[in-house]
Amino acid sequence: MENFNALTDEELALSYIDGNNKAFDELLARNQDKLFSYIYFVVRDEDKANDLFQETFVKVITKLHQRRYVDSGKFGAWVMRIAHNVIMDWYREQKSRNLIEPTETNDLSNLSMNDVLDLNVENRYVNDQVMADVKRMMNLLPPTQREVVFMRFYQNLSFKEIAELTGVSINTSLGRMRYAILNLRRMTREHNIVLQLDN
């Protein structure tokens, strides 16, 4: 039995193209959480995120079968680009972006900074409140601004990588981040919110 743990995503993709279906199962297992988090963060609706996630992987399978994947050492970025295109196609089908409204169930609770921060109990309460405020404000940003913030701060992608994944120029990516920051600052002023984490 082949040891998939020793293979890169790119090697798994090429193995799947050559007919090894178990290689795809491993690819899916490695990439599904990160990909679903990205889709959910952008669309803010769990059911729609599940639909778009499935559509993304159908397209991944189709492109692999058509041998349209070339090993460039960036399988994850290739899949993210497909997901981005699926999301943008979905947005284009909508008559208005105003159809996508925040609800009680899509408050980004699946993204927890507590996994990253090592805090004592007192500070954790303050930081939980700060992160809740950030998530509420993030839900109010336009989808393209939410997307660039997610890619930059939650996935640690460079603006060059963001530009490549979203099919825009680096200047457009930087502009979207700038407007996102300006919008978040405006919201903190309007609602007298203090966004400072305690150490």
Side-chain angles (χ1 to χ4, degrees):
M1 182 174 168
E2 194 168 4
N3 180 9
F4 289 127
N5 292 334
L7 298 179
T8 64
D9 284 359
E10 292 71 27
E11 290 168 332
L12 288 169
L14 296 174
S15 178
Y16 174 67
I17 289 170
D18 289 336
N20 187 340
N21 289 332
K22 290 185 178 180
F24 184 79
D25 295 340
E26 179 66 21
L27 266 178
L28 179 62
R30 286 185 189 181
N31 289 280
Q32 64 185 0
D33 289 344
K34 179 179 177 183
L35 190 65
F36 180 81
S37 293
Y38 162 65
I39 294 170
Y40 178 74
F41 190 88
V42 176
V43 301
R44 297 180 297 171
D45 179 279
E46 189 169 356
D47 290 336
K48 181 47 64 181
N50 276 313
D51 290 346
L52 295 174
F53 174 82
Q54 290 174 16
E55 186 178 340
T56 297
F57 263 94
V58 166
K59 287 188 185 268
V60 168
I61 290 168
T62 302
K63 288 178 187 294
L64 287 172
H65 277 291
Q66 294 170 344
R67 299 186 175 271
R68 290 172 59 192
Y69 172 72
V70 178
D71 181 7
S72 63
K74 297 181 178 180
F75 178 81
W78 182 71
V79 173
M80 290 288 286
R81 174 75 179 170
I82 293 170
H84 167 78
N85 290 339
V86 167
I87 293 167
M88 292 303 109
D89 288 345
W90 176 69
Y91 275 128
R92 284 185 205 104
E93 290 172 8
Q94 307 303 306
K95 292 184 180 178
S96 167
R97 289 191 181 194
N98 293 332
L99 295 174
I100 302 151
E101 294 294 333
T103 66
E104 292 177 21
T105 60
N106 64 9
D107 65 355
L108 303 178
S109 59
N110 64 326
L111 298 172
S112 173
M113 289 303 291
N114 290 335
D115 296 335
V116 179
L117 302 172
D118 184 17
L119 308 168
N120 64 39
V121 174
E122 293 172 23
N123 290 344
R124 179 162 289 174
Y125 174 77
V126 172
N127 292 338
D128 284 347
Q129 186 59 51
V130 168
M131 291 311 300
D133 290 339
V134 168
K135 288 175 183 180
R136 275 194 295 277
M137 291 188 302
M138 290 285 291
N139 275 333
L140 300 175
L141 290 175
T144 53
Q145 292 175 24
R146 260 197 329 275
E147 180 181 45
V148 75
V149 170
F150 181 81
M151 288 178 163
R152 184 73 185 102
F153 292 109
Y154 288 93
Q155 295 184 320
N156 296 318
L157 297 178
S158 69
F159 283 106
K160 181 178 183 217
E161 292 169 318
I162 293 169
E164 290 172 1
L165 286 170
T166 57
V168 298
S169 70
I170 293 176
N171 284 343
T172 299
S173 294
L174 289 166
R176 288 175 179 172
M177 177 62 79
R178 179 177 171 270
Y179 284 118
I181 291 170
L182 289 173
N183 282 329
L184 290 170
R185 284 181 180 160
R186 177 183 48 78
M187 286 185 253
T188 59
R189 280 194 309 270
E190 288 174 358
H191 301 288
N192 294 319
I193 297 171
V194 177
L195 298 178
Q196 182 171 342
L197 297 175
D198 285 344
N199 296 319

